[in-house]
Amino acid sequence: DIMAFCDEVQTKYPQLDKKRLAVTGGSYGGFMTNWIIGHTDRFAAAASQRSIANWIGFGFTSDIGDDFAKDQMGLGKKGNVWNSMEKLWLHSPLQYLDRCTTPTLFIHSDEDYRCPLSEGYQMYAALQQLGVDVIYLNPVFVSPSNHKYDCQDYDHIDPHIGKIVEDCDGLLSPGDRDN
């Protein structure tokens, strides 16, 4: 359980400022970041990268598509959007955003065919409608696979992490930045 892990880290390292904790992740970690912000307000900011927002449409737009979505949702060979709509929506982070208060940065690349741009846009647009502070960053990475830019092209890691930190710092209130 991710939140139990966070509790343990905070217990072990009491010097961590609970008011400045942030959550980030890419790909499945992006999906989990999206899930987390709809289920807790414990983080001061979030950065969701290359994520999944909505299992209903994901299978139709991703290069790993329908089979991956079926596998992740445990639908079996006969499962599809039409006979599994309720289950797919139940496991979609987008469904829970009405509970979100966490300022969030979304990062997706135009040529990411694994977790398409539309997944990040759905999260971004929903949080905008809900009045949550949100930033959308659409970088263009020059690497063979824009889904795995952070693992394949190490020249992108340092500036990318720096940009996340800079943008998340911008999401914190001025009083929080001073502490």
Side-chain angles (χ1 to χ4, degrees), residues 4-59:
F5 172 78
C6 291
D7 293 339
E8 184 64 29
V9 169
Q10 288 178 316
T11 300
K12 188 170 183 172
Y13 300 98
Q15 68 272 28
L16 292 175
D17 184 351
K18 291 180 183 180
K19 293 179 183 176
R20 292 183 53 82
L21 288 179
V23 61
T24 188
S27 194
Y28 188 81
F31 164 74
M32 289 306 302
T33 298
N34 292 349
W35 186 266
I36 288 167
I37 64 173
H39 287 83
T40 182
D41 63 356
R42 77 184 296 167
F43 297 100
S48 175
Q49 310 163 58
R50 311 175 317 282
S51 65
I52 298 169
N54 181 355
W55 285 107
I56 294 169
F58 177 81

Side-chain angles (χ1 to χ4, degrees), residues 18 25 35 41 56 67 89 96 103 115 128-129 132 137 147:
K18 291 180 183 180
W35 186 266
D41 63 356
I56 294 169
D67 289 337
W89 186 239
Y96 304 98
C115 290
Q128 268 195 324
Q129 285 184 12
V132 177
L137 179 63
H147 183 73

Side-chain angles (χ1 to χ4, degrees), residues 16 20 100 115 124 143 148-149:
L16 292 175
R20 292 183 53 82
C100 179
C115 290
Y124 172 77
S143 65
K148 295 185 179 182
Y149 60 79

Side-chain angles (χ1 to χ4, degrees), residues 82-171:
W82 295 274
N83 66 21
S84 306
M85 184 85 60
E86 189 174 310
K87 185 173 187 176
L88 292 168
W89 186 239
L90 181 69
H91 294 283
S92 295
L94 189 63
Q95 178 185 0
Y96 304 98
L97 284 190
D98 61 332
R99 305 172 188 170
C100 179
T101 59
T102 307
T104 305
L105 165 68
F106 292 98
I107 302 172
H108 274 260
S109 185
D110 283 338
E111 295 182 18
D112 184 345
Y113 304 116
R114 183 69 28 95
C115 290
L117 199 60
S118 60
E119 295 296 309
Y121 276 139
Q122 289 177 72
M123 296 292 290
Y124 172 77
L127 289 183
Q128 268 195 324
Q129 285 184 12
L130 294 166
V132 177
D133 289 336
V134 64
I135 297 171
Y136 197 94
L137 179 63
N138 182 13
V140 178
F141 292 99
V142 185
S143 65
S145 167
N146 281 314
H147 183 73
K148 295 185 179 182
Y149 60 79
D150 59 345
C151 336
Q152 292 181 354
D153 188 347
Y154 294 108
D155 291 338
H156 291 304
I157 291 176
D158 289 335
H160 179 67
I161 297 297
K163 181 66 175 159
I164 292 171
V165 170
E166 178 184 314
D167 286 341
C168 280
D169 194 48
L171 289 170

